[in-house]
Amino acid sequence: FIFQAIRCTLVNCTCECFQPGKINLRTCDQCKHGWVAHALDKLSTQHLYHPTQVEIVQSNVVFDISSLMLYGTQAVPVRLKILLDRLFSVLKQEEVLHILHGLGWTLRDYVRGYILQVGGGLECWCLGPALG
């Protein structure tokens, strides 16, 4: 995946590139807005759903969607994992592994639903976004 600046999408924010925080990876050090507010810049809105047509899933789009849920987190809520499982099921295994590795997850951790902490205790959990 090629690095691309991800600007903040919140109104009146001039941040042009997400900079992960030192304490919380999901908060921008420049503007203090969250990762999702920035990542929405990468999601294309040009692909509208047409009920009569089968949608082809591209790995770069799955990476963008996965990053909203997995980047900087140690656990993923079950409902979001089900959605990701559906997306991953139509990709090649190498593509899934590449996506997970790019977001700091192993396949074993993803299947488990959380990143296993080896050694010292876990001080806190950083969950992916919840579905309302």
Side-chain angles (χ1 to χ4, degrees), residues 39-89:
L40 289 176
D41 180 48
K42 284 192 69 179
L43 294 177
S44 67
T45 56
Q46 61 192 358
H47 301 291
L48 299 177
Y49 176 71
H50 300 286
T52 59
Q53 159 181 39
V54 175
E55 185 175 355
I56 297 172
V57 178
Q58 298 173 341
S59 64
N60 62 328
V61 174
V62 175
F63 178 85
D64 293 344
I65 293 168
S66 301
S67 73
L68 294 172
M69 300 178 213
L70 298 177
Y71 176 74
T73 63
Q74 290 89 27
V76 61
V78 173
R79 289 181 183 176
L80 291 178
K81 186 171 180 313
I82 292 168
L83 295 174
L84 279 179
D85 286 348
R86 295 287 303 241
L87 287 172
F88 287 163
S89 72

Side-chain angles (χ1 to χ4, degrees), residues 5-125:
I6 304 172
R7 68 177 186 82
C8 187
T9 59
L10 294 180
V11 178
N12 298 325
C13 185
T14 59
C15 181
E16 289 295 322
C17 184
F18 179 80
Q19 294 294 320
K22 291 173 182 38
I23 295 173
N24 184 352
L25 289 176
R26 292 180 67 89
T27 301
C28 179
D29 255 359
Q30 291 186 3
C31 67
K32 307 301 180 207
H33 293 133
W35 165 247
V36 173
H38 286 78
L40 289 176
D41 180 48
K42 284 192 69 179
L43 294 177
S44 67
T45 56
Q46 61 192 358
H47 301 291
L48 299 177
Y49 176 71
H50 300 286
T52 59
Q53 159 181 39
V54 175
E55 185 175 355
I56 297 172
V57 178
Q58 298 173 341
S59 64
N60 62 328
V61 174
V62 175
F63 178 85
D64 293 344
I65 293 168
S66 301
S67 73
L68 294 172
M69 300 178 213
L70 298 177
Y71 176 74
T73 63
Q74 290 89 27
V76 61
V78 173
R79 289 181 183 176
L80 291 178
K81 186 171 180 313
I82 292 168
L83 295 174
L84 279 179
D85 286 348
R86 295 287 303 241
L87 287 172
F88 287 163
S89 72
V90 295
L91 297 179
K92 296 176 186 165
Q93 175 134 8
E94 309 89 64
E95 293 172 315
V96 173
L97 293 173
H98 191 70
I99 289 170
L100 291 173
H101 179 72
L103 298 172
W105 286 70
T106 65
L107 181 59
R108 181 173 268 171
D109 288 336
Y110 174 76
V111 169
R112 187 183 307 111
Y114 61 91
I115 296 176
L116 186 61
Q117 300 291 316
V118 179
L122 181 64
E123 296 176 15
C124 67
W125 284 96

